[in-house]
Amino acid sequence: MEYKRYCTVCGKEKIYNSLDSFRANKDSLLCRSCARKIIQKKNHPNKLEKLLEETAESYYWMGYLLADGHFSENCRVSFVQNNEDKISVENFKKYIETETPIFYKNRKGIDSASISVMNVDVIKKLIEKFDIKSNKTYSPPDKSIFEKMDIDMLSYLFIGFVDGDGHIANLHKRKDFSLRIKTHSSWFDILDIFSKRIFGLENYTKINNQGYADLQIGDTQLLKQFKKKYVNNLNFKLAERGFQ
C-alpha cells in the first residue's frame, strides 16, 4: 500500500511505500527539489538572475561563460580560469553577489581559480534562453539565437566570448593589432555570424589545418571602431587578455 503527501511549495506528490516511512517523515513537507533549492539559497545565496537581464554586463558574462564556463544538468554553472585570467573568476563572483567561495590551486606551476554556483530556477531559464547544452563544446547553441539577437547585446556577448576563447595581439614591431578566435569546428556558424553581423565581414571564418573553426580579423581600424563604440565606455572590468 502507498501513502502520499504533497510538497507544500510545488505540490509534487511524495510517495511512501510503508506507513512507518510515512510517519517517520511527517515533518518532511518539501519534495527533494524544493528542499535543495532552499538549502542552496540559505548556504550560498547568489544573484545569478542578473545574467537574465538585457544589459551589457549580463551579455558580456554570458559570452564569457559560453566560451569558458560549464552548465551542468543539475543546474550548476562552473567557471575556471588560469594564471592572470583568474581575476575574472573574482570579478564574476562580485557580479553575482555570491558568498560561494573561490577555490585556488597550483598544479605544475599553473595557478587557477574556480567557482561553482547553483540556482535551479535561473539556470533553467538561462539554458532555455541561450539554448545551452552541458556538452556545449561539441554542441553549441542553435545559430538562430545569435542571428536574432539584438546587435548591441550580440556585440557585448562577443566581447565576453573573446575574453574567454579569443586572443588580441599586437603585430610584430607595429602598433596594429589583430583578433583571433579558435574553437571547436561545431562553432563555425556562430563565429561566422559574429564576423558578418558585427563587422560586416564575409567568409572570414575558416576550418584550419588542425580542424578548428578559426576567425581572424586583422583590420586594426575596424577593431578600433568596434572598441570605441562598445568597449571604451563599459563600467566594469574586462579580462586582461581581451579588449582591455
Side-chain angles (χ1 to χ4, degrees):
M1 183 175 181
E2 292 183 342
Y3 299 85
K4 298 179 181 180
R5 187 177 283 124
Y6 297 89
C7 175
T8 56
V9 174
C10 69
K12 183 178 180 180
E13 186 177 74
K14 302 171 65 179
I15 299 176
Y16 302 88
N17 294 321
S18 70
L19 182 59
D20 288 341
S21 178
F22 179 78
R23 288 172 174 171
N25 290 276
K26 65 180 180 179
D27 295 324
S28 178
L29 304 178
L30 306 177
C31 68
R32 186 173 299 178
S33 177
C34 290
R36 185 176 60 179
K37 291 179 188 178
I38 290 174
I39 292 171
Q40 183 271 325
K41 288 179 180 178
K42 181 179 178 181
N43 293 342
H44 297 296
N46 60 62
K47 292 187 178 179
L48 270 178
E49 63 269 17
K50 293 170 74 174
L51 291 172
L52 290 166
E53 297 173 354
E54 295 295 308
T55 65
E57 192 164 8
S58 67
Y59 273 78
Y60 168 80
W61 282 116
M62 283 308 304
Y64 211 143
L65 292 171
L66 284 172
D68 257 2
H70 175 69
F71 292 81
S72 65
E73 293 180 352
N74 67 347
C75 293
R76 184 177 293 276
V77 59
S78 303
F79 187 39
V80 183
Q81 292 291 278
N82 296 327
N83 297 327
E84 69 272 12
D85 293 326
K86 65 185 181 182
I87 187 68
S88 294
V89 177
E90 296 165 0
N91 290 337
F92 179 64
K93 173 183 167 75
K94 292 176 184 176
Y95 174 65
I96 61 172
E97 302 178 49
T98 183
E99 297 175 13
T100 302
I102 294 175
F103 292 96
Y104 296 92
K105 293 182 180 179
N106 184 292
R107 186 172 296 172
K108 296 183 179 180
I110 299 176
D111 291 322
S112 69
S114 64
I115 192 169
S116 180
V117 292
M118 185 175 183
N119 191 317
V120 175
D121 293 335
V122 171
I123 293 179
K124 282 183 177 179
K125 291 176 182 177
L126 287 171
I127 288 172
E128 181 179 359
K129 180 177 180 179
F130 293 95
D131 188 33
I132 302 169
K133 287 90 169 179
S134 60
N135 62 338
K136 62 180 179 58
T137 298
Y138 309 103
S139 301
D142 190 281
K143 65 178 182 179
S144 64
I145 300 289
F146 304 90
E147 290 172 331
K148 298 174 183 178
M149 192 177 292
D150 174 86
I151 188 62
D152 291 335
M153 296 302 106
L154 180 68
S155 297
Y156 295 124
L157 184 144
F158 173 75
I159 295 169
F161 198 90
V162 170
D163 281 357
D165 246 358
H167 181 67
I168 297 175
N170 290 325
L171 301 181
H172 184 59
K173 293 183 179 181
R174 293 167 58 183
K175 293 183 179 180
D176 294 335
F177 58 93
S178 64
L179 178 151
R180 185 180 188 184
I181 302 175
K182 184 175 69 173
T183 188
H184 191 270
S185 59
S186 61
W187 285 78
F188 179 95
D189 288 342
I190 294 172
L191 296 192
D192 202 41
I193 291 169
F194 285 154
S195 66
K196 289 177 180 178
R197 291 200 64 201
I198 297 173
F199 298 100
L201 299 174
E202 299 278 350
N203 302 318
Y204 265 64
T205 304
K206 311 291 183 183
I207 297 295
N208 65 20
N209 293 334
Q210 291 76 42
Y212 290 98
D214 198 340
L215 171 62
Q216 298 185 55
I217 300 176
D219 188 330
T220 301
Q221 292 306 311
L222 190 62
L223 293 173
K224 282 183 175 180
Q225 291 171 13
F226 176 81
K227 184 176 180 180
K228 181 178 180 181
K229 182 175 181 180
Y230 287 108
V231 180
N232 291 351
N233 296 322
L234 294 178
N235 60 0
F236 55 89
K237 185 77 171 175
L238 304 183
E240 295 295 330
R241 65 176 173 178
F243 278 100
Q244 197 64 262

